[in-house]
Amino acid sequence: MGKLGEKIQDKRVLALIGRMLRARVVMPDGPSVATEEGPPQGGPLSPLLSNVVLNELDWELERRGLRFARYADDCNIFVASPRAGLRVMEKISQFLGKRRRRSVNTEKSAVRKPHQVHFLGFRFSRNREKGWLVYLSHKAKDRIQDRLKEMTPRTWGQSLAMCLKGRNTYIQGWGVSFRICDEEGARSWKQIDAHVRRRIRAIAIRPQKRPRLLFRHLVRTGASASTAAKTAWSSRGIWHKSARFGTQEAYGWAWFKDHLKSLIDEWAKHNLPVLPAASEPQLTFAF
């Protein structure tokens, strides 16, 4: 608040920020908890005040000639060797402790190689032929898999259209956030797409409880009579039937192309080059 008071003259704004800092936080299970220090995590005020408090850290890193990337209170500093990393970490920790009265999180802070760093949902790897590559971090990948699993439960009680609508909105926003991943890093997304398509097929055929009803449904959707019969009268459960040829034939690539967005398609939308129009030919001259 003292740092904000150096720039903000309107006391009403300072009072509003003070009330936001002292506001109680409602936990997921119901009760509210008072915050004793700092803004509530996940709130819009947290990254804003982090930039205010750590603004001098940016100046100090620039003065030392260090290369760094910082977002709110998450900062990565790049040096040439592990020994230099230990030295810089000690000096910067002392700077934050003396100048800003802030302690460094020793559990999350460490000197690591670039491929071991997870920053804003990304991790990095170096290839001798392609140079540096950008991948999803393991936490981000687990998070999207868990989220998509929650959005496509086996006991879905609403219409299939509602399930597809919610997932399409989530995938579209997710693709924009992680579009900077390289092609090699996005290759594993195909497995996530395939798993979600199977979950959608299971949701689609679950209401057809009896074999004859499932047979009619599959034939009506586009499957042949022979494959639909083998799927409908199988003795296995819904999850097994969702991977059989009859279900895959009824809900194939063409159906999903019209109804469901995929992670890999959203990535390609932002990364694949746009071909020139037919009216604007591209000429190449070789000598």
Side-chain angles (χ1 to χ4, degrees):
M1 293 299 299
K3 193 66 178 178
L4 291 174
E6 297 176 2
K7 296 290 185 179
I8 302 176
Q9 302 298 328
D10 194 338
K11 294 183 178 180
R12 296 175 299 176
V13 176
L14 295 175
L16 178 61
I17 296 176
R19 293 178 61 184
M20 294 178 68
L21 288 173
R22 294 188 297 269
R24 299 177 67 87
V25 180
V26 180
M27 305 301 292
D29 52 353
S32 59
V33 180
T35 56
E36 299 180 356
E37 183 180 6
Q41 292 294 322
L45 196 61
S46 179
L48 174 62
L49 296 185
S50 295
N51 289 331
V52 173
V53 173
L54 298 177
N55 189 32
E56 293 186 12
L57 173 62
D58 298 343
W59 296 346
E60 180 66 17
L61 294 176
E62 290 181 358
R63 187 186 67 81
R64 293 172 179 261
L66 296 172
R67 297 184 178 183
F68 65 96
R70 184 180 66 81
Y71 181 84
D73 60 349
D74 191 358
C75 183
N76 289 336
I77 305 173
F78 304 95
V79 294
S81 65
R83 184 176 179 181
L86 293 173
R87 183 181 67 253
V88 171
M89 183 176 180
E90 181 182 359
K91 296 296 184 181
I92 296 302
S93 299
Q94 293 176 0
F95 170 80
L96 290 173
K98 294 179 179 179
R99 294 285 298 273
R100 303 309 308 154
R101 298 191 299 276
R102 304 302 302 171
S103 60
V104 176
N105 190 329
T106 56
E107 295 182 358
K108 298 182 180 180
S109 301
V111 179
R112 304 184 179 95
K113 294 184 178 181
H115 69 271
Q116 298 174 329
V117 174
H118 291 193
F119 184 57
L120 301 179
F122 299 96
R123 60 185 178 90
F124 312 96
S125 177
R126 188 169 186 174
N127 188 296
R128 292 183 178 180
E129 298 178 356
K130 301 180 181 179
W132 286 101
L133 301 176
V134 183
Y135 293 83
L136 274 181
S137 69
H138 299 304
K139 292 182 179 179
K141 188 175 181 180
D142 293 340
R143 185 164 59 249
I144 186 174
Q145 288 177 331
D146 294 340
R147 179 57 180 155
L148 292 175
K149 188 175 181 179
E150 293 175 0
M151 299 177 70
T152 54
R154 298 186 184 182
T155 57
W156 180 260
Q158 304 180 39
S159 64
L160 182 61
M162 291 295 296
C163 180
L164 296 174
K165 181 179 179 181
R167 185 190 177 280
N168 286 336
T169 302
Y170 178 76
I171 286 299
Q172 190 172 8
W174 193 91
V176 173
S177 300
F178 294 93
R179 65 183 183 273
I180 68 172
C181 287
D182 294 293
E183 183 177 2
E184 186 172 340
R187 192 172 300 167
S188 62
W189 301 4
K190 296 181 180 180
Q191 300 176 357
I192 304 177
D193 286 334
H195 183 69
V196 173
R197 285 195 296 268
R198 183 176 180 181
R199 298 183 68 88
I200 293 295
R201 292 188 181 105
I203 293 175
I205 65 175
R206 179 171 291 277
Q208 317 303 324
K209 301 295 184 181
R210 298 186 177 182
R212 58 184 179 84
L213 297 179
L214 178 57
F215 171 77
R216 295 173 184 175
H217 175 79
L218 294 177
V219 172
R220 185 168 57 250
T221 308
S224 62
S226 59
T227 57
K230 293 179 181 179
T231 301
W233 274 277
S234 173
S235 60
R236 307 291 292 272
I238 293 296
W239 183 246
H240 175 77
K241 293 179 180 179
S242 64
R244 291 185 66 91
F245 291 120
T247 309
Q248 293 183 5
E249 190 175 2
Y251 295 93
W253 285 103
W255 188 90
F256 281 105
K257 196 72 175 178
D258 297 334
H259 296 83
L260 193 64
K261 295 183 181 294
S262 70
L263 293 172
I264 197 66
D265 288 345
E266 290 299 311
W267 177 89
K269 183 189 302 183
H270 297 286
N271 289 275
L272 292 183
V274 180
L275 297 178
S279 58
E280 299 178 356
Q282 182 177 353
L283 303 181
T284 303
F285 299 90
F287 298 91

